[in-house]
Amino acid sequence: MSALLIIIPLLAGFLFIPFKEKAKYILPLVVITTLIILLLLSPDQTNAMGGWKAPFGIVLVLDSASYYSLLVVNIVFLLISLMPQIVEKGYSVVLLILLASTNGLVLTGDIFNSFVFLEITAVAAYIIAFSRKNPYGAFKYLILGGISGAFYLLGAIYAYIGTGSLNFADISVNIKEGFLPIVALLIFIGIGVESKIFPLAGWVPDVYDSGSPLTPVILGTGVTFTIMYLFGRIFITVFHGYFLDVVFIFGLLTIVLGELAALRQNKLIKALAFSSIAQAGLVLSTISLGGYEAIKFGYFHLLNDISAKLVLFIIAATIAHNFTENKIAGVSFSIASFSLIGFPLFAGFRSKLLILQLAFSKDNYLLPAVVLFATVIEAAYILKWNIKLWHSTNTGEEKQKISWNVNLILLIVALLIIFIGIFPDLYLKMAQNIADGLTNYRAYVTNVLGGM
Amino acid sequence: MRRFISIVIVFGLIMFFINTLSLLPKYGSVNISKVSEAYIDKNVNGNGGNVKYNESESLENGAANVVTSIVVDYRSFDTLGEVTVLFTAALGVSLVLNGIRRKKYGRRPNFILRVSVGILLPLIILFGTYIFIHGHLTPGGGFPGGTIIAAGILLLYLSNEEFDLSKTPKFVEGISGSLYIVTGLVGLAIAGVFLINFLPTGIVGDLFSAGIVPIVYILIGFKVGAELSGIVADLHREG
Amino acid sequence: MVYYIAFILIGVGIYGFLTQKNLFKHLVSLTIVDTAVNIFIISLGYIEGKEAPIYSKYTPIANFVDPLPQALVLTAIVIGVGTLALGASLLIKVYEKYGTLDVEQIATKEAEE
Amino acid sequence: MTGVTIFVGILIIISAIFAVEAKKMLDSFIALSLMSLLTVFLFVIMKAPDVAITEAAVGAGLATAVLVLALNKMGGDSQ
């Protein structure tokens, strides 16, 4: 039944294509429907598409990891669909397709199928990147995404040659010796563009600065989370943590370079885009520390990051002129930005503290050093922007008003950030479930392939 | 300098791939994987094997073209995704090019072109239709068939400056895409499995065989044709 | 053999992407890389002396090359053309906005803004 | 058959290099189309008729048409 999570948005998208302007009314309904279906489903089930069993056909795997990831992604989509103001005209259909493809990417248990969903996600992302007349950024993204997609496909085909099938579980059990490094490297390049890792993240600031709030919000939260889940699924469940040492180095480089670049920006949204790159690096390098705890804390930090980014990007793209007229939005912005730095009492503090403790307990001093360095730089530019925006007297010519529903949602997310800062259990529980699902290799394989 | 660095990078890349050759089977002597073996013998559910043209009956999948049986049945879900990629791309083209007005050509289309399109177009459409109806028997299928039809539409655009499809492609692709999903959902309703092949599969090699495979391929043909025609139409506006 | 052709083609595509300044050439390079990957995948299914995977009068019983790579490539080709069309339409908009497709000229125009 | 394969392969690589390096865009597209057509030939040699027919229709036909239409919209090869 988990196929319905993909089918329903897809069907709605197909049906509403001749009247794409009207699709904005259906979007919230569809997202609520998928959420209800998701809540009715129980984790730990596999569905074989077309009735062809595991290594032969495509299976959709719903375990605790994919279940909670779906929950996160669908809630993000729900929040966005409840703010129709930020969705450009005609883009609701794209969001429906994107919802279907992110759900598919989370659910799929087949490497070629994940390539297909990755391409749908990418094509939808290119269109969203274009949103408000930003063709150059979108084109750059398209070329990089296309080439990395080719590498992903190459990785998939090497896995096929090395295993004789395309199924994740089958690959994790049966891959022949010598193939693993090649497949891992190719797949890493393949999702490097979307996961915003260092040499391949050059598109991010250009794309996020499209002028439309939709672009950074959806790409920086929902899509980022999905890609990070896919990373975990492939590198932890399928490759059993192989190759993570290399990812760790690239993650550290990403943090340092991202933060340094963010400091130099004189446009808020670009600074946030670089910060988003750096946070992705932090999540990846934390996950790459290896072990159950590291994965848990990595996803915990990712959850904190996307909550903060949801607020920050919307505000930065709509009313980044001054806060004195939009006090509620301003307060939400400040809360989210403090969480980003890792100020005590805010959610980001919890996750950074846990990551530091974990790194010290593993005698790893490189990550703490980089994290502390990054935090100092982050604090510098975040505080600079906060002061600038609260004290700006320049009212500007374009006075954009923020409507009440956007304000309400921003405030709710901001309050959630404070709540998590005090009682982190809600997010930690989710992250724990995701880590459980990802690290439980044996259960995954038996789930998919049946008793082995 | 840039050129030199690029050559070094490219050389490194090629060397990397050549290094992987020691792992790959020698060209021309690949072993058929266990998955493909099952696909060829139509033996995934364990009641096939030794398929014979024009004889074997009621197999789990009745398409004579094994590639088609994979694309439209065994890995049909991929194909749904693939159609969606094209759908999204067509939608993207229309969103991106939105607002460009259609300009007329400076000169009238060539006489020879106009006359020959009148003769060729029915043949092209017929050929495209043939290709996707016989997709489960001969090479071809929904994708090339749809593309050929789109090529015919392109010719129409080139030969007739008044011609405009306006919203027709959107309706066709919306309806055929939905029908594809509905076909899957019927399977879900009947057997509890999405996209299951719920029709009798017949004798391998018959036109009426392979269950839902030809139906789905025809839908794909219409959808792909409509999507590509939509892309061509959007790109052609203004001229 | 065909492996080498595919690898060199990937190289040519990446080279074009790295050196060329015209954005159209980037799209061309992307297409070349896609084609190269397709050739590579098909060559991994080829078996000498075997036939195309279709049951017919000429091959009534199975004596086939590996059909799965072919099915995958079918998907990949269509995805490739979708991306290409979207890229081409984005390029039209780039040209409309900047009046050029040269990477460096666009960069200077971006900086002026 | 190997001789033919190598010959076609070399032609493919040459047309790819030409497509990348050509000064005029239209030449580049034609070289790209030629590369696709030669690839079709290679697919036929490798017993993949389904892929060949798709590549011929999509890669060599429609992709080129899309590129040329886009080029036309920018006023031909003037840049």
Side-chain angles (χ1 to χ4, degrees):
Chain A
M1 286 297 145
S2 47
L4 286 177
L5 295 174
I6 305 165
I7 301 309
I8 288 174
L10 209 54
L11 189 60
F14 285 169
L15 284 176
F16 271 80
I17 182 69
F19 344 91
K20 53 179 182 285
E21 324 275 88
K22 303 271 188 322
K24 64 173 183 243
Y25 303 113
I26 200 86
L27 179 64
L29 285 177
V30 171
V31 183
I32 289 169
T33 318
T34 53
L35 259 176
I36 290 172
I37 292 173
L38 182 65
L39 292 174
L40 290 176
L41 291 171
S42 59
D44 285 322
Q45 53 169 308
T46 57
N47 285 67
M49 295 291 96
W52 310 113
K53 61 181 188 279
F56 304 105
I58 296 163
V59 285
L60 300 184
V61 185
L62 190 66
D63 61 356
S64 69
S66 45
Y67 185 83
Y68 285 93
S69 303
L70 282 174
L71 206 58
V72 174
V73 173
N74 283 282
I75 287 174
V76 169
F77 270 93
L78 181 65
L79 291 181
I80 288 167
S81 71
L82 291 178
M83 299 182 278
Q85 291 88 346
I86 69 165
V87 181
E88 301 289 307
K89 217 174 158 193
Y91 277 73
S92 302
V93 182
V94 183
L95 281 183
L96 284 170
I97 302 290
L98 190 64
L99 175 64
S101 71
T102 45
N103 281 351
L105 209 48
V106 173
L107 277 170
T108 186
D110 185 281
I111 197 162
F112 189 76
N113 197 230
S114 72
F115 164 75
V116 173
F117 279 120
L118 197 64
E119 287 293 310
I120 306 176
T121 311
V123 171
Y126 308 148
I127 300 170
I128 289 174
F130 174 76
S131 293
R132 208 175 277 171
K133 308 281 172 284
N134 175 28
Y136 186 48
F139 184 76
K140 249 196 211 171
Y141 184 20
L142 181 135
I143 294 290
L144 270 176
I147 290 181
S148 73
F151 277 91
Y152 192 92
L153 182 56
L154 276 173
I157 207 71
Y158 272 98
Y160 170 68
I161 293 300
T163 317
S165 103
L166 291 161
N167 188 280
F168 276 155
D170 207 15
I171 292 170
S172 79
V173 181
N174 290 332
I175 192 156
K176 278 185 219 146
E177 203 163 321
F179 275 96
L180 204 48
I182 299 164
V183 178
L185 181 64
L186 289 172
I187 298 269
F188 180 60
I189 298 174
I191 58 178
V193 169
E194 307 281 344
S195 62
K196 299 183 278 198
I197 200 83
F198 150 61
L200 302 170
W203 56 275
V204 179
D206 288 330
V207 167
Y208 283 17
D209 184 23
S210 73
S212 157
L214 179 66
T215 316
V217 170
I218 192 71
L219 296 185
T221 57
V223 175
T224 300
F225 189 88
T226 314
I227 299 294
M228 289 300 176
Y229 166 83
L230 183 70
F231 174 85
R233 181 53 91 200
I234 293 178
F235 281 85
I236 296 163
T237 315
V238 180
F239 299 156
H240 298 192
Y242 182 83
F243 203 71
L244 287 184
D245 304 341
V246 182
V247 179
F248 183 70
I249 305 293
F250 276 102
L252 291 186
L253 276 174
T254 311
I255 301 175
V256 174
L257 295 173
E259 297 289 11
L260 285 176
L263 188 61
R264 288 178 45 218
Q265 300 304 315
N266 45 17
K267 202 169 173 190
L268 175 57
I269 193 116
K270 285 205 171 175
L272 288 174
F274 276 112
S275 145
S276 170
I277 297 176
Q279 298 290 338
L282 177 54
V283 172
L284 284 181
S285 46
T286 308
I287 294 174
S288 315
L289 276 176
Y292 175 75
E293 296 279 294
I295 295 163
K296 177 172 152 189
F297 296 153
Y299 282 100
F300 178 43
H301 186 74
L302 181 59
L303 286 170
N304 288 336
D305 179 46
I306 64 171
S307 322
K309 284 285 155 54
L310 186 73
V311 176
L312 293 177
F313 277 135
I314 291 179
I315 294 176
T318 48
I319 46 151
H321 305 293
N322 64 351
F323 286 163
T324 37
E325 283 168 27
N326 291 294
K327 289 216 170 51
I328 301 176
V331 170
S332 316
F333 183 88
S334 297
I335 292 173
S337 58
F338 287 143
S339 167
L340 198 65
I341 309 172
F343 222 64
L345 282 185
F346 295 98
F349 172 70
R350 289 281 178 180
S351 50
K352 276 195 178 167
L353 192 66
L354 286 171
I355 291 171
L356 290 184
Q357 282 172 348
L358 179 76
F360 280 125
S361 75
K362 287 188 173 236
D363 285 331
N364 185 326
Y365 299 103
L366 203 54
L367 182 62
V370 170
V371 170
L372 291 175
F373 168 78
T375 305
V376 172
I377 298 182
E378 227 168 24
Y381 67 81
I382 290 284
L383 289 178
K384 181 185 89 180
W385 279 107
N386 264 302
I387 293 167
K388 205 170 174 180
L389 288 171
W390 278 108
H391 290 273
S392 115
T393 46
N394 167 31
T395 43
E397 281 142 41
E398 35 174 334
K399 265 191 202 167
Q400 272 178 298
K401 273 260 169 170
I402 202 159
S403 46
W404 65 271
N405 56 338
V406 179
N407 243 332
L408 185 68
I409 287 170
L410 293 183
L411 195 63
I412 290 173
V413 178
L415 290 177
L416 184 69
I417 290 171
I418 296 182
F419 178 79
I420 297 297
I422 303 165
F423 308 103
D425 278 357
L426 180 69
Y427 276 12
L428 261 181
K429 195 94 191 152
M430 263 192 198
Q432 186 178 346
N433 276 310
I434 293 174
D436 273 341
L438 290 181
T439 49
N440 206 343
Y441 320 125
R442 203 162 292 141
Y444 183 80
V445 171
T446 28
N447 234 342
V448 175
L449 295 181
M452 288 278 291
Chain B
M1 191 57 205
R2 188 191 175 91
R3 204 158 277 251
F4 177 72
I5 295 172
S6 312
I7 289 175
V8 171
I9 292 174
V10 167
F11 189 72
L13 193 74
I14 294 178
M15 283 322 283
F16 163 76
F17 281 119
I18 288 178
N19 267 328
T20 66
L21 278 182
S22 58
L23 290 169
L24 298 178
K26 209 172 141 281
Y27 173 70
S29 54
V30 183
N31 288 323
I32 290 195
S33 65
K34 59 183 183 221
V35 176
S36 298
E37 196 92 38
Y39 291 159
I40 290 173
D41 290 338
K42 305 193 183 296
N43 194 21
V44 169
N45 288 335
N47 47 9
N50 295 329
V51 180
K52 250 187 134 183
Y53 180 70
N54 257 343
E55 275 179 30
S56 302
E57 204 178 338
S58 296
L59 295 161
E60 59 182 20
N61 174 303
N65 186 338
V66 181
V67 176
T68 301
S69 72
I70 297 173
V71 168
V72 194
D73 199 353
Y74 292 115
R75 298 184 69 85
S76 189
F77 202 57
D78 271 350
T79 308
L80 183 58
E82 168 189 8
V83 174
T84 311
V85 174
L86 208 52
F87 168 84
T88 319
L91 170 64
V93 172
S94 74
L95 280 172
V96 167
L97 294 182
N98 194 12
I100 288 188
R101 270 167 286 111
R102 182 175 182 179
K103 259 195 291 184
K104 294 243 168 96
Y105 274 112
R107 57 182 171 202
R108 285 191 54 137
N110 191 321
F111 173 75
I112 299 173
L113 185 64
R114 268 187 295 143
V115 173
S116 53
V117 163
I119 302 165
L120 272 179
L121 190 73
L123 292 176
I124 291 175
I125 304 264
L126 192 67
F127 182 56
T129 318
Y130 173 85
I131 281 193
F132 64 67
I133 287 179
H134 286 75
H136 58 301
L137 304 176
T138 53
F143 296 105
T147 316
I148 288 167
I149 290 179
I153 303 287
L154 174 65
L155 273 182
L156 260 185
Y157 267 102
L158 291 179
S159 67
N160 184 352
E161 60 184 46
E162 301 296 324
F163 180 74
D164 197 3
L165 284 172
S166 68
K167 272 195 163 183
T168 323
K170 297 275 173 246
F171 277 105
V172 175
E173 68 178 294
I175 290 167
S176 51
S178 311
L179 282 177
Y180 187 178
I181 292 181
V182 167
T183 318
L185 287 176
V186 171
L188 189 68
I190 292 176
V193 182
F194 185 68
L195 279 175
I196 196 166
N197 195 343
F198 53 83
L199 290 176
T201 52
I203 300 172
V204 173
D206 273 9
L207 181 58
F208 292 101
S209 66
I212 64 168
V213 170
I215 300 174
V216 169
Y217 234 3
I218 289 170
L219 290 176
I220 291 174
F222 274 113
K223 191 163 167 60
V224 170
E227 276 154 0
L228 292 176
S229 308
I231 288 176
V232 165
D234 282 326
L235 278 171
H236 191 266
R237 294 221 169 79
E238 185 189 27
Chain C
M1 244 110 42
V2 181
Y3 298 153
Y4 286 96
I5 296 168
F7 295 156
I8 292 172
L9 269 185
I10 294 179
V12 171
I14 302 280
Y15 172 80
F17 169 63
L18 290 173
T19 54
Q20 296 296 322
K21 296 197 182 68
N22 190 313
L23 289 177
F24 247 129
K25 287 290 174 63
H26 289 193
L27 212 52
V28 169
S29 307
L30 178 62
T31 314
I32 294 175
V33 172
D34 278 348
T35 312
V37 173
N38 293 343
I39 293 175
F40 180 60
I41 296 173
I42 291 289
S43 70
L44 281 172
Y46 177 63
I47 304 168
E48 204 144 5
K50 297 218 171 176
E51 294 302 321
I54 299 170
Y55 289 104
S56 67
K57 269 185 287 196
Y58 313 103
T59 48
I61 50 164
N63 178 29
F64 296 153
V65 299
D66 195 344
L68 185 57
Q70 301 190 7
L72 303 187
V73 169
L74 223 51
T75 308
I77 288 177
V78 176
I79 291 176
V81 77
T83 318
L84 180 77
L86 187 58
S89 64
L90 284 173
L91 272 185
I92 293 173
K93 283 288 174 181
V94 171
Y95 190 72
E96 214 170 65
K97 187 171 173 185
Y98 300 98
T100 175
L101 287 180
D102 191 286
V103 180
E104 284 166 2
Q105 289 181 24
I106 290 175
T108 45
K109 290 203 176 170
E110 283 264 271
E112 280 168 14
E113 272 174 20
Chain D
M1 226 39 184
T2 40
V4 180
T5 314
I6 292 172
F7 181 66
V8 174
I10 288 169
L11 282 182
I12 290 177
I13 290 168
I14 290 172
S15 48
I17 292 173
F18 189 74
V20 166
E21 290 287 353
K23 286 280 174 294
K24 277 196 158 181
M25 270 307 132
L26 205 55
D27 296 353
S28 172
F29 298 158
I30 290 167
L32 197 67
S33 182
L34 181 69
M35 186 194 79
S36 268
L37 277 175
L38 291 166
T39 313
V40 171
F41 199 58
L42 206 57
F43 287 152
V44 173
I45 294 176
M46 290 192 284
K47 309 284 181 202
D50 280 277
V51 181
I53 198 168
T54 309
E55 173 78 30
V58 177
L62 204 87
T64 316
V66 164
L67 285 173
V68 172
L69 281 177
L71 187 67
N72 259 344
K73 259 195 169 170
M74 295 175 211
D77 245 334
S78 53
Q79 13 83 35

